[in-house]
Amino acid sequence: MATARQLSFGPHDRPPLGRWIPLSFQHVFAMFGATVLVPLLTGLNTSTALFTAGTGTLIYILLTGAKVPIYLGSSFAFIPPLVAISKAYGVQYAMGGAIAAGLFYCIVAGIVKLAGRKWIDKALPPVVIGSVIVVIGMSLAPTAISEAGLATGDGYSLVAASIALVTLAIAIIATIFLKGFFNTLAILIGLVGGYLFTLVMGAIFPAYRLIDFSIVSQAKWVSLPFLSTDAAGHAAYIMPKFNLVAVLTFVIVSISTICEHLGDILTASKVVGKNFYEDPGLHRTLLGDGLATAWAGIWGGPPNTTYGENIGVMAITKVYSVYVIGGAAVIAVVLSFCQKFGAIIQTIPNPVLGGICILLYGLISSSGLRTLVEGGVDYQDKRNLTISSVILVIGIGGGVLQFNVGGSYTFSLGSVALATVVGILLNLIIPADEKKK
């Protein structure tokens, strides 16, 4: 148990309540934008997405023995099949496909349990692990830059850029100069600071009026997320249905998300300093992720996945408490029943989120570089140089391997997932120099 004066917390430490709540809210802010964006893009209910993300995270914590501080939220990888299957067969079949994807995770978890994990050590040495972690952070970088208004072309905005840079500056100052408990709230301080800056500037300059409170006034105080429409008018509970095309489509896509799961667990292991592949075991993390995804499909929410944003928060704050993650999950569930609170968080401008994400995503990549250094990867060895180079270019470059799986739907394996698969194959195929062993 953590002491009252403790400034960082391990996975099993329970912070005092006065610190616990704001630390949990910090994770809610980190996951909220992405978790809500997926249902908005796919026509699902945002409150249901919050409900299934929160309850799914609690399921994950339970199945991993409360050992892995990972938050689960809506998966971007499943946006294409959600849209395609919903259009072709109806959203009920998309939910059935999501359930099938979650159950496929469980099957893979059983195989890992029976076959052991030695093959993982062979397939994923530090050169692959570190390079993939770098890719995870850098593949998210364009999203942060776009939200920050720093992208070239139509995406560039001097107003958005100024908000993002002020937010980033506040977060950096809080990270470097604040001491004690306030240092652990650096992300939250950056978000609040950027939000207040936008409000003040909006009162002076019309171009900065990006915060619209109309959605708050329109939202209900209390509602059941799976029995009523959300503030955007998206559907409530959806009864899942199944057909072969939908099931196969989602299962194929889940292969790529399993690869991303491996990368996120590796990243979390490096950030926290514990081997989660070993304890509680990869089979249990896969099982938790899979059941959380199936659970989401049952209630009409988008499939879940482990969130790199929240891993970035842990990297900055050095607070790895499962209790804090669990607290964030409970808050998400509460918000799903109270649309007004959720609507308030939805008013956070994209440039504020973009400024914070510049720091968060960069820290994920930095964790990958640390893995390469601590793993003693020798880049004078052409084998390591080749494997790392190919992973980085495919992953950061956004490489995609795609093929038709029936009808008009094309399955894509890209970015992090493709880079992970290619890295594993290269590591297994290219012979090692026996003299250097």
Side-chain angles (χ1 to χ4, degrees):
M1 181 65 66
T3 64
R5 295 183 179 179
Q6 190 169 335
L7 302 181
S8 62
F9 300 88
H12 301 293
D13 293 333
R14 182 188 302 173
L17 189 61
R19 299 183 180 184
W20 187 353
I21 294 176
L23 287 171
S24 293
F25 260 110
Q26 188 167 238
H27 279 281
V28 172
F29 281 111
M31 68 82 190
F32 192 90
T35 294
V36 170
L37 181 59
V38 173
L40 288 177
L41 294 175
T42 56
L44 298 177
N45 188 292
T46 53
S47 294
T48 300
L50 279 176
F51 173 78
T52 55
T55 52
T57 299
L58 294 175
I59 290 172
Y60 182 87
I61 290 173
L62 177 64
L63 292 176
T64 55
K67 295 181 178 181
V68 187
I70 290 286
Y71 194 92
L72 271 61
S74 305
S75 172
F76 278 82
F78 284 101
I79 290 178
L82 282 170
V83 173
I85 296 300
S86 295
K87 183 178 181 180
Y89 302 99
V91 68
Q92 299 94 333
Y93 290 95
M95 292 300 97
I99 294 173
L103 295 178
F104 180 70
Y105 264 74
C106 299
I107 293 173
V108 175
I111 295 173
V112 172
K113 172 66 174 176
L114 293 175
R117 55 172 297 275
K118 289 185 178 179
W119 60 274
I120 296 176
D121 296 329
K122 183 177 180 180
L124 294 167
V127 64
V128 175
I129 294 172
S131 300
V132 168
I133 294 174
V134 171
V135 166
I136 289 174
M138 289 297 96
S139 65
L140 294 169
T143 302
I145 295 300
S146 177
E147 289 184 337
L150 294 168
T152 57
D154 295 337
Y156 182 80
S157 168
L158 188 59
V159 169
S162 64
I163 294 172
L165 293 176
V166 168
T167 303
L168 176 61
I170 294 172
I172 291 175
I173 291 171
T175 300
I176 302 299
F177 296 104
L178 293 185
K179 305 297 182 182
F181 174 61
F182 290 104
N183 180 263
T184 64
L185 296 177
I187 300 302
L188 185 58
I189 291 172
L191 282 167
V192 172
Y195 192 92
L196 293 176
F197 172 78
T198 307
L199 275 178
V200 172
M201 293 296 289
I204 303 173
F205 304 105
Y208 282 85
R209 292 171 187 169
L210 304 179
I211 299 176
D212 182 7
F213 290 107
S214 62
I215 190 175
V216 179
S217 61
Q218 295 170 6
K220 299 177 181 178
W221 276 108
V222 179
S223 65
L224 296 177
F226 37 82
L227 294 180
S228 60
T229 57
D230 60 11
H234 293 121
Y237 177 71
I238 302 164
M239 178 66 73
K241 293 183 179 180
F242 301 86
N243 68 20
L244 184 59
V245 173
V247 168
L248 288 179
T249 298
F250 273 81
V251 166
I252 292 174
V253 172
S254 70
I255 295 174
S256 66
T257 59
I258 285 174
C259 292
E260 290 180 296
H261 175 94
L262 296 176
D264 283 335
I265 298 301
L266 289 170
T267 304
S269 297
K270 293 300 178 181
V271 168
V272 178
K274 295 184 179 292
N275 189 346
F276 295 134
Y277 273 16
E278 183 70 34
D279 184 23
L282 181 59
H283 63 287
R284 294 184 68 176
T285 66
L286 283 168
L287 180 63
D289 200 342
L291 288 180
T293 291
W295 169 261
I298 291 173
W299 291 100
N304 285 320
T305 188
T306 49
Y307 261 26
E309 292 93 331
N310 296 84
I311 297 174
V313 170
M314 292 192 300
I316 292 176
T317 64
K318 300 188 184 303
V319 175
Y320 315 126
S321 173
V322 175
Y323 289 96
V324 170
I325 298 295
V330 171
I331 292 172
V333 173
V334 172
L335 290 177
S336 74
F337 284 89
C338 184
Q339 287 187 4
K340 281 196 179 292
F341 283 111
I344 290 173
I345 296 181
Q346 282 183 267
T347 64
I348 299 175
N350 283 339
V352 174
L353 295 175
I356 288 297
C357 287
I358 290 174
L359 182 58
L360 290 181
Y361 299 159
L363 281 167
I364 293 173
S365 291
S366 297
S367 296
L369 296 175
R370 187 179 69 181
T371 299
L372 294 170
V373 172
E374 293 178 352
V377 177
D378 181 10
Y379 278 112
Q380 290 186 344
D381 185 338
K382 292 183 179 179
R383 181 179 185 276
N384 290 334
L385 190 63
T386 300
I387 293 172
S388 189
S389 299
V390 173
I391 290 174
L392 292 174
V393 171
I394 290 178
I396 298 175
V400 177
L401 180 66
Q402 58 185 20
F403 51 88
N404 187 271
V405 295
S408 61
Y409 179 64
T410 300
F411 164 68
S412 296
L413 184 70
S415 191
V416 176
L418 181 59
T420 303
V421 172
V422 171
I424 291 172
L425 291 176
L426 287 177
N427 178 65
L428 295 176
I429 294 172
I430 299 177
D433 188 345
E434 296 295 333
K435 296 180 181 179
K436 294 186 177 183
K437 288 188 175 180

CSV table of all heavy atoms in Angstrom, one decimal, residues 36-59:
chain,number,residue,atom,x,y,z
A,36,VAL,N,-14.9,8.2,-28.0
A,36,VAL,CA,-16.2,8.8,-28.5
A,36,VAL,C,-16.1,9.0,-30.0
A,36,VAL,O,-17.2,8.9,-30.7
A,36,VAL,CB,-16.4,10.2,-27.8
A,36,VAL,CG1,-17.6,10.9,-28.5
A,36,VAL,CG2,-16.7,10.0,-26.3
A,37,LEU,N,-14.9,9.2,-30.5
A,37,LEU,CA,-14.8,9.5,-32.0
A,37,LEU,C,-15.2,8.3,-32.8
A,37,LEU,O,-15.9,8.4,-33.8
A,37,LEU,CB,-13.4,9.9,-32.3
A,37,LEU,CG,-13.1,10.2,-33.8
A,37,LEU,CD1,-14.1,11.3,-34.3
A,37,LEU,CD2,-11.7,10.6,-34.0
A,38,VAL,N,-14.9,7.1,-32.4
A,38,VAL,CA,-15.2,5.8,-33.1
A,38,VAL,C,-16.7,5.7,-33.3
A,38,VAL,O,-17.2,5.5,-34.4
A,38,VAL,CB,-14.6,4.6,-32.5
A,38,VAL,CG1,-15.1,3.3,-33.2
A,38,VAL,CG2,-13.0,4.7,-32.5
A,39,PRO,N,-17.5,5.7,-32.3
A,39,PRO,CA,-19.0,5.6,-32.5
A,39,PRO,C,-19.5,6.8,-33.3
A,39,PRO,O,-20.5,6.6,-34.1
A,39,PRO,CB,-19.6,5.6,-31.1
A,39,PRO,CG,-18.5,6.2,-30.2
A,39,PRO,CD,-17.2,5.8,-30.8
A,40,LEU,N,-18.9,8.0,-33.2
A,40,LEU,CA,-19.4,9.1,-34.0
A,40,LEU,C,-19.2,8.8,-35.5
A,40,LEU,O,-20.0,9.2,-36.4
A,40,LEU,CB,-18.7,10.4,-33.6
A,40,LEU,CG,-19.1,11.0,-32.3
A,40,LEU,CD1,-18.2,12.2,-32.0
A,40,LEU,CD2,-20.6,11.4,-32.3
A,41,LEU,N,-18.1,8.1,-35.8
A,41,LEU,CA,-17.7,7.8,-37.2
A,41,LEU,C,-18.5,6.6,-37.8
A,41,LEU,O,-18.6,6.5,-39.0
A,41,LEU,CB,-16.2,7.6,-37.4
A,41,LEU,CG,-15.3,8.8,-37.1
A,41,LEU,CD1,-13.8,8.3,-37.1
A,41,LEU,CD2,-15.5,9.9,-38.1
A,42,THR,N,-19.0,5.8,-36.9
A,42,THR,CA,-19.6,4.5,-37.3
A,42,THR,C,-21.1,4.5,-37.1
A,42,THR,O,-21.8,3.5,-37.4
A,42,THR,CB,-19.0,3.3,-36.6
A,42,THR,OG1,-19.0,3.5,-35.2
A,42,THR,CG2,-17.5,3.2,-37.0
A,43,GLY,N,-21.7,5.6,-36.5
A,43,GLY,CA,-23.1,5.7,-36.3
A,43,GLY,C,-23.6,4.9,-35.0
A,43,GLY,O,-24.8,4.7,-34.9
A,44,LEU,N,-22.7,4.6,-34.1
A,44,LEU,CA,-23.0,4.0,-32.9
A,44,LEU,C,-23.3,5.0,-31.8
A,44,LEU,O,-23.0,6.2,-31.9
A,44,LEU,CB,-22.0,3.0,-32.5
A,44,LEU,CG,-21.7,1.8,-33.4
A,44,LEU,CD1,-20.5,1.0,-33.0
A,44,LEU,CD2,-23.0,1.0,-33.6
A,45,ASN,N,-23.8,4.6,-30.7
A,45,ASN,CA,-24.2,5.4,-29.6
A,45,ASN,C,-22.9,5.8,-28.7
A,45,ASN,O,-22.2,4.9,-28.3
A,45,ASN,CB,-25.2,4.7,-28.7
A,45,ASN,CG,-25.8,5.6,-27.7
A,45,ASN,OD1,-25.1,6.0,-26.7
A,45,ASN,ND2,-27.1,6.0,-27.8
A,46,THR,N,-22.6,7.1,-28.5
A,46,THR,CA,-21.4,7.5,-27.8
A,46,THR,C,-21.5,7.1,-26.3
A,46,THR,O,-20.5,6.7,-25.7
A,46,THR,CB,-21.2,9.0,-27.9
A,46,THR,OG1,-22.4,9.7,-27.5
A,46,THR,CG2,-20.9,9.4,-29.4
A,47,SER,N,-22.7,7.2,-25.7
A,47,SER,CA,-22.8,6.8,-24.3
A,47,SER,C,-22.6,5.3,-24.1
A,47,SER,O,-22.0,4.9,-23.2
A,47,SER,CB,-24.2,7.2,-23.8
A,47,SER,OG,-24.3,8.6,-23.8
A,48,THR,N,-23.1,4.5,-25.1
A,48,THR,CA,-22.9,3.1,-25.0
A,48,THR,C,-21.4,2.8,-25.1
A,48,THR,O,-20.9,1.9,-24.5
A,48,THR,CB,-23.7,2.4,-26.1
A,48,THR,OG1,-25.1,2.7,-25.9
A,48,THR,CG2,-23.5,0.9,-26.0
A,49,ALA,N,-20.7,3.5,-26.0
A,49,ALA,CA,-19.3,3.3,-26.2
A,49,ALA,C,-18.5,3.6,-24.8
A,49,ALA,O,-17.6,2.8,-24.5
A,49,ALA,CB,-18.7,4.2,-27.3
A,50,LEU,N,-18.9,4.6,-24.1
A,50,LEU,CA,-18.3,4.9,-22.8
A,50,LEU,C,-18.6,3.8,-21.8
A,50,LEU,O,-17.7,3.4,-21.1
A,50,LEU,CB,-18.8,6.3,-22.3
A,50,LEU,CG,-18.2,7.5,-22.8
A,50,LEU,CD1,-18.9,8.8,-22.3
A,50,LEU,CD2,-16.7,7.6,-22.5
A,51,PHE,N,-19.9,3.3,-21.8
A,51,PHE,CA,-20.3,2.3,-20.9
A,51,PHE,C,-19.5,1.0,-21.2
A,51,PHE,O,-19.0,0.4,-20.2
A,51,PHE,CB,-21.8,2.0,-21.1
A,51,PHE,CG,-22.3,0.8,-20.3
A,51,PHE,CD1,-22.5,0.9,-18.9
A,51,PHE,CD2,-22.5,-0.4,-21.0
A,51,PHE,CE1,-22.9,-0.2,-18.2
A,51,PHE,CE2,-23.0,-1.5,-20.2
A,51,PHE,CZ,-23.2,-1.4,-18.9
A,52,THR,N,-19.4,0.6,-22.4
A,52,THR,CA,-18.7,-0.7,-22.7
A,52,THR,C,-17.2,-0.5,-22.6
A,52,THR,O,-16.5,-1.5,-22.3
A,52,THR,CB,-19.0,-1.1,-24.2
A,52,THR,OG1,-18.7,-0.1,-25.1
A,52,THR,CG2,-20.5,-1.5,-24.3
A,53,ALA,N,-16.6,0.7,-22.8
A,53,ALA,CA,-15.2,0.9,-22.6
A,53,ALA,C,-14.9,0.8,-21.1
A,53,ALA,O,-13.9,0.1,-20.7
A,53,ALA,CB,-14.8,2.2,-23.1
A,54,GLY,N,-15.7,1.4,-20.2
A,54,GLY,CA,-15.5,1.4,-18.8
A,54,GLY,C,-15.7,0.0,-18.2
A,54,GLY,O,-14.8,-0.5,-17.5
A,55,THR,N,-16.8,-0.6,-18.5
A,55,THR,CA,-17.1,-2.0,-18.0
A,55,THR,C,-16.1,-3.0,-18.6
A,55,THR,O,-15.7,-4.0,-18.0
A,55,THR,CB,-18.5,-2.4,-18.3
A,55,THR,OG1,-18.8,-2.3,-19.7
A,55,THR,CG2,-19.5,-1.6,-17.5
A,56,GLY,N,-15.7,-2.8,-19.9
A,56,GLY,CA,-14.7,-3.7,-20.5
A,56,GLY,C,-13.4,-3.6,-19.8
A,56,GLY,O,-12.7,-4.6,-19.7
A,57,THR,N,-13.0,-2.4,-19.4
A,57,THR,CA,-11.7,-2.2,-18.7
A,57,THR,C,-11.8,-2.9,-17.4
A,57,THR,O,-10.8,-3.6,-16.9
A,57,THR,CB,-11.4,-0.7,-18.5
A,57,THR,OG1,-11.3,-0.1,-19.8
A,57,THR,CG2,-10.1,-0.5,-17.7
A,58,LEU,N,-12.9,-2.9,-16.7
A,58,LEU,CA,-13.1,-3.6,-15.4
A,58,LEU,C,-13.0,-5.1,-15.6
A,58,LEU,O,-12.4,-5.8,-14.8
A,58,LEU,CB,-14.4,-3.2,-14.8
A,58,LEU,CG,-14.5,-1.7,-14.3
A,58,LEU,CD1,-15.9,-1.4,-13.8
A,58,LEU,CD2,-13.5,-1.4,-13.2
A,59,ILE,N,-13.6,-5.6,-16.7
A,59,ILE,CA,-13.5,-7.0,-17.0
A,59,ILE,C,-12.0,-7.4,-17.3
A,59,ILE,O,-11.5,-8.4,-16.8
A,59,ILE,CB,-14.3,-7.3,-18.3
A,59,ILE,CG1,-15.8,-7.2,-18.0
A,59,ILE,CG2,-14.0,-8.7,-18.8
A,59,ILE,CD1,-16.7,-7.3,-19.2
